[in-house]
Each structure stands twice: as structure tokens, then as C-alpha cells.
Amino acid sequence: MKTNLYVKKRVAIIGAGLTLFRRRLLETPQELVWIAARRALDQAGLEFKDIDCVISGSAPDAFDGVHMKGEYYSEGAGAFGKLHHRVLVGGGTGVFVPISGWWMVASGLCRKALIIAEEKMSCAADPHPQAVFRHIWDPLVEKPLNPNLIWIFALEMHRYMHKCGVSKEDIALVAVKNKANALDHPSAQAAARITVEDVLKSEVLVYPVNRLDISPVSDGAGALVMVSEDIARRYTDNPVWVEGVGFVLDSSYWTNRELSFPVYVKAAAEMAYRMAGIENPMKQIDVAEPYDPFDYKELHHMEGLGLAPRCKAAEMTREGLTQRDGDLPINPSGGLLGVGNPIAAAGLMKVAEIFWQLRGEAGRRQVKKPVTTGLAQAWGDLMQVGTVIVLRR
């Protein structure tokens, strides 16, 4: 293994925890954060009083209906009297939070960090949280068109299908796989055994996007414990190391981009791969959790991450290579399509899944092949943020 020249202090993950992912959970944001944090601390063998700093992430305040909600939910993480900061890059937040935790520990600013991601989308505008997104557009160029996110993603999906010659049936295979994988996930909200025909016959929202192509509206929280190497050696014989991180912003003007390929994900992955000494991700990444709020995004992001040749991810999926027992297991957790999509918590769920997979603790979700290196990725804002983290046992 190549030495990571970018890091003075190695950083390990030694605990992870999740709440249930559901719509209209009765718990408050503070309670959700506390449940996830308590589970992560229990796995790490630590208490709230042992933590030096708390790094949190959540999407726009409008979802929870509370201004400055980082301060609001921080009580649940025991963040009072400690260094606490919140990060927000839309859907990319769930992976950006552990990236932020990594630099806090790698820099020596703290040695034991609690990483929190929370979202309570059910509280958002009536009748649907999509209403929150009415206010994210450029007021002069875009807002007069009255777009919504599904409208934009339909454009991207259509462009990807046209440019790569991918069919709706090929894309639906991703939803079939991920929802089936989620049957083994204890937090899962939308696990199901469905067929390609079920996806194709589900309600058309904006062509070519059908209802079963999309992840659900969810509430939930996730947590990690990240520590410096000397601390990790005291608490566990099985730490999982953060070996590479990458984060990139593209232009916010989606109208000026080639929508068939996620350049921002490619750039973020290349940054993480340089740090981790990865030159051939298809050979060196054993298991991956790319961001899949829509089924076509799993294929799109696999290609951006270099886990599939350009326009070949659908073929790999059709041949079964991305199944849990395949050569390159993709989203063995069930992903956002199956486990649910409480935006920031969903990305962190992916990091937790790679942590458990590398430790051999994923239970019935454990992939069949031996795994030493895994990757989690998220994406967000106006389709412009790429966040990538590489973990190694």
C-alpha cells in the first residue's frame, strides 16, 4: 500500500449508527441526532463526554422548518461547550460531513470527532418538499421557466439515454437491484421485490422519469465516530482508515453543461484517488456506494467515478457485475432508492455502509468477495457538487 503523502495524522472511523429512515417520523431532529450518535458511540466504546468536536451536516433549513437548524439539533449531539460546525452542500452534504471531520482530526484540531447528518423532510412545505426547491433557481434566467428538480433530472436522464444508447429497461434494473438489496437493511424505508415491468408501469412524473425511478421523501439521521490513529489503536483492532477525500464544485448553470457525464464527480474522484494511491479504480475499489437518488444516477456516477467505462455501466448492471455477489458490488446497502433519502443522512448512510462492509459487519448485506477498499460518493446542489471518500481496512 502506498503511503498517503497528503496526511500528517491518519484518521480512522471506529463507530457508526443510523436511525430508521421513514416519512413522518415522530422524533424531533434533536432526538434523531441523539439516537444515531448514541449508536455510533456505543460501537466505538465512547461516551458524549469523550468527544472533542462535533461536525454536522443538513440540507436547507426549510426542510426542518427551523432557522439555523445546526444550532437547533446540536443539543442532541452533545455539542454544547465544544467545537461544532455545520456544513451544507445540498445532496453532497452526507459525504462532505465526514470529509470535514477528517480534516479536523487530520489537522490535529481535535482527536475524537462525532460526525452527524440529519434531515427531516416531512416537515417541509405542503404538499411536498419539492416546494422548497422553488427558491433555488436563478431569478432571471431560470425561475421564469418555473422548473422543479424532477423536470431538470428528466432532461439529464434523457440526455444520458440518448448519448449512451441506454434503454429505460436497463435503467430500471438499478431500481430492481437496490430495492431488493434494501430488504436486508434494518433502516430501510422503500425495500421491495419489484420487476422492471413494475418500474415501467409506475406513474410517469416527467418523461422519462417514472415514480419507481425515484427515491422517497424521508426523515432520518446518521452518525460516525472519527478519531486519530493513536486513539483508534486504543479502542479497536479493526479500524477503517480514511485514505482519500475529494470535493469539487461545477458551474451552477446546468444549461451550459454536457448532461450525459458528471464532470464534477470525475474531478472529485481523481482528487480522492490521488490521495489514496488509486490508479485503476475498477480494479482497486472492491465495493462502492455511489449516490442514487434516481436509478439512472447510479449508472451516471459509476462512469464519473471510473468504476465503469463511459456509457458501459448499464451493460455491467445487465450482466450482474454490480450485484452483491458480482465482481464490483454497487450499493449493497440498497442505496437511496431502497433505504431512503433523508438528504444529508442518506449520504452518510453510504459511508457507514462502506465502514461496515470493510469490517465484515454488514450482516446479510455483506458482499461475497473479500474487501479491503471501498468508496462512497454523493452529489447535490444544482447538480454541481461532487463529494467522494475512499476508505481502507
Side-chain angles (χ1 to χ4, degrees):
M1 182 176 69
K2 292 177 69 172
T3 303
N4 194 328
L5 299 177
Y6 294 80
V7 181
K8 292 181 178 177
K9 291 181 180 291
R10 292 185 84 191
V11 180
I13 301 174
I14 62 169
L18 299 173
T19 65
L20 288 176
F21 284 10
R22 294 287 186 276
R23 191 166 189 175
R24 299 192 178 92
L25 282 175
L26 296 178
E27 289 84 355
T28 66
Q30 296 99 324
E31 289 169 335
L32 290 174
V33 164
W34 186 89
I35 293 168
R38 184 66 266 170
R39 290 174 178 169
L41 289 166
D42 285 346
Q43 182 167 29
L46 292 169
E47 297 293 334
F48 282 105
K49 64 180 175 55
D50 299 321
I51 293 298
D52 299 319
C53 62
V54 176
I55 315 303
S56 72
S58 196
D61 291 354
F63 280 141
D64 284 35
V66 177
H67 181 51
M68 300 177 72
K69 68 174 171 178
E71 285 81 344
Y72 172 63
Y73 61 57
S74 63
E75 293 278 327
F80 34 85
K82 295 177 181 174
L83 186 160
H84 170 228
H85 80 85
R86 171 190 171 195
V87 297
L88 164 59
V89 286
T93 301
V95 171
F96 198 55
V97 183
I99 289 174
S100 303
W102 167 82
W103 74 53
M104 297 295 281
V105 178
S107 69
L109 197 57
C110 60
R111 299 169 71 195
K112 290 174 280 190
L114 181 59
I115 314 302
I116 297 291
E118 180 272 349
E119 214 71 66
K120 202 161 169 58
M121 297 178 68
S122 301
C123 301
D126 190 38
H128 194 279
Q130 275 291 330
V132 170
F133 296 119
R134 289 176 184 152
H135 310 291
I136 65 175
W137 311 103
D138 184 298
L140 297 179
V141 178
E142 295 168 337
K143 206 158 185 177
L145 300 174
N146 196 26
N148 64 45
L149 283 184
I150 298 177
W151 189 84
I152 301 298
F153 298 143
L155 286 175
E156 187 179 68
M157 179 172 169
H158 211 175
R159 178 64 180 165
Y160 176 67
M161 291 170 63
H162 170 74
K163 189 83 175 182
C164 292
V166 175
S167 69
K168 283 273 295 172
E169 287 79 1
D170 286 335
I171 290 173
L173 285 170
V174 174
V176 172
K177 170 178 70 72
N178 290 3
K179 285 179 175 293
N181 284 348
L183 289 167
D184 296 324
H185 200 298
S187 295
Q189 171 184 357
R193 205 165 292 286
I194 62 170
T195 65
V196 167
E197 191 175 25
D198 291 331
V199 179
L200 300 182
K201 286 186 173 178
S202 62
E203 179 186 1
V204 176
L205 300 180
V206 181
Y207 185 82
V209 177
N210 292 59
R211 181 170 294 280
L212 288 178
D213 289 313
I214 304 182
S215 55
V217 171
S218 313
D219 300 342
L224 303 171
V225 176
M226 301 178 77
V227 299
S228 57
E229 182 171 9
D230 57 324
I231 301 292
R233 301 291 186 197
R234 281 188 225 165
Y235 284 89
T236 181
D237 295 327
N238 199 14
V240 170
W241 304 102
V242 180
E243 291 293 315
V245 300
F247 42 100
V248 167
L249 269 183
D250 200 345
S251 163
S252 62
Y253 290 94
W254 50 271
T255 48
N256 299 347
R257 289 190 235 136
E258 169 51 79
L259 297 179
S260 67
F261 186 76
V263 173
Y264 42 92
V265 171
K266 180 176 186 289
E270 287 174 347
M271 176 181 170
Y273 293 158
R274 279 194 300 274
M275 292 179 65
I278 290 175
E279 297 172 348
N280 185 344
M282 286 186 66
K283 298 292 184 186
Q284 292 174 268
I285 299 292
D286 300 313
V287 56
E289 285 272 335
Y291 203 59
D292 62 322
F294 291 70
D295 44 11
Y296 80 95
K297 290 302 290 186
E298 176 174 302
L299 309 176
H300 203 235
H301 287 158
M302 282 176 63
E303 294 169 15
L305 291 165
L307 299 176
R310 195 161 179 175
C311 295
K312 294 294 183 183
E315 184 178 319
M316 290 173 63
T317 302
R318 196 167 55 240
E319 292 174 353
L321 301 181
T322 61
Q323 295 284 345
R324 263 190 210 143
D325 59 356
D327 290 347
L328 182 54
I330 298 293
N331 282 321
S333 67
L336 279 56
L337 291 162
V339 183
N341 187 12
I343 298 179
L348 194 137
M349 178 275 291
K350 290 180 166 293
V351 183
E353 179 69 15
I354 295 300
F355 166 73
W356 287 320
Q357 289 286 345
L358 296 183
R359 286 177 44 131
E361 297 175 344
R364 293 173 60 183
R365 304 188 311 281
Q366 189 67 44
V367 303
K368 302 304 179 189
K369 62 186 281 190
V371 288
T372 57
T373 305
L375 171 151
Q377 170 256 325
W379 152 85
D381 277 358
L382 285 171
M383 304 157 60
Q384 68 192 117
V385 175
T387 52
V388 175
I389 190 165
V390 176
L391 306 181
R392 189 174 280 137
R393 177 161 54 88

